[in-house]
Amino acid sequence: MRAFKRWFDRSLTAQAVLIFLLGVGVTALFRRDEHPVVWVIQGVLYATIVIAFVAVQRRRASRAAGTDARGIVELHRKIRHREVPREPEERATMRRLVAEQLGQIERGRRWLPYWLGSMILVAVGTLAAGVATGSWVLPLILAAAVIGFCCWALWMRRRSIDRFRYMRSSLQS
């Protein structure tokens, strides 16, 4: 399982296939009356957008750290497991990566209240629209999912900040 997880983390193709399958499944779930070709086209569109975003983020991180995409994935694995590298070159690369990623998270803090507010507005708006039309079960599920996603995103952000700060202090010693 660990080898599969590592392979999946490194392979953009595997990630694209998973996103495509999830996109087709979600589209088929919500648009049952559409032709299956529409589901496939939307799945391809979703996968293309997400993989382009991930590729740009990987390229930006690899330029900032001074290593290739595989090196970035390996450094992120070491950060998740709190493994401090011993080699001076790898320490310097990780120090640059940690500084870049921590700076990016802290710069995004300015937009966090606006993002959370808009997500809460979406949740409340869909719930209000559902109650107004008389169908409140699906909007209630959607509102709970949106609020759950916001809580998960805040938790992951806090966890990432803790990991990067730990690694930054470990690399300075």
Side-chain angles (χ1 to χ4, degrees), residues 135-157:
S135 166
W136 59 272
V137 175
L138 186 61
L140 183 64
I141 292 170
L142 180 65
V146 167
I147 291 172
F149 175 74
C150 290
C151 292
W152 173 80
L154 287 172
W155 176 70
M156 286 301 293
R157 181 181 184 279

Side-chain angles (χ1 to χ4, degrees), residues 53-84:
F53 180 74
V54 168
V56 166
Q57 290 297 323
R58 278 189 178 184
R59 189 171 196 195
R60 175 198 246 176
S62 65
R63 259 191 272 135
T67 187
D68 61 344
R70 287 183 180 247
I72 294 295
V73 169
E74 187 61 29
L75 289 174
H76 275 293
R77 186 195 64 77
K78 287 184 178 185
I79 289 170
R80 280 193 309 271
H81 294 280
R82 296 181 185 257
E83 297 174 9
V84 181

Side-chain angles (χ1 to χ4, degrees), residues 10 13 27 31 36 39 45-47 70 83 88-89 98 105 107 123 125-128 144 154 164 168 170:
R10 290 181 179 169
T13 306
T27 304
R31 296 189 176 184
W39 303 343
L45 179 69
Y46 299 151
R70 287 183 180 247
E83 297 174 9
E89 183 179 306
V98 166
I105 290 173
R107 283 189 303 270
T126 55
L127 190 58
L154 287 172
F164 286 130
R168 182 176 61 185
S170 296

Side-chain angles (χ1 to χ4, degrees), residues 32-122:
R32 295 179 195 185
D33 56 336
E34 297 278 337
H35 196 273
V37 173
V38 174
W39 303 343
V40 171
I41 290 172
Q42 286 184 340
V44 167
L45 179 69
Y46 299 151
T48 303
I49 290 170
V50 170
I51 292 301
F53 180 74
V54 168
V56 166
Q57 290 297 323
R58 278 189 178 184
R59 189 171 196 195
R60 175 198 246 176
S62 65
R63 259 191 272 135
T67 187
D68 61 344
R70 287 183 180 247
I72 294 295
V73 169
E74 187 61 29
L75 289 174
H76 275 293
R77 186 195 64 77
K78 287 184 178 185
I79 289 170
R80 280 193 309 271
H81 294 280
R82 296 181 185 257
E83 297 174 9
V84 181
R86 295 176 191 241
E87 299 174 11
E89 183 179 306
E90 192 176 10
R91 286 176 71 93
T93 303
M94 185 175 278
R95 191 176 298 123
R96 287 191 302 267
L97 176 67
V98 166
E100 168 67 24
Q101 296 290 311
L102 196 56
Q104 188 177 10
I105 290 173
E106 289 172 351
R107 283 189 303 270
R109 187 171 120 204
R110 174 180 47 170
W111 296 102
L112 190 62
Y114 302 112
W115 178 78
L116 286 173
S118 65
M119 293 299 282
I120 300 262
L121 281 175
V122 166

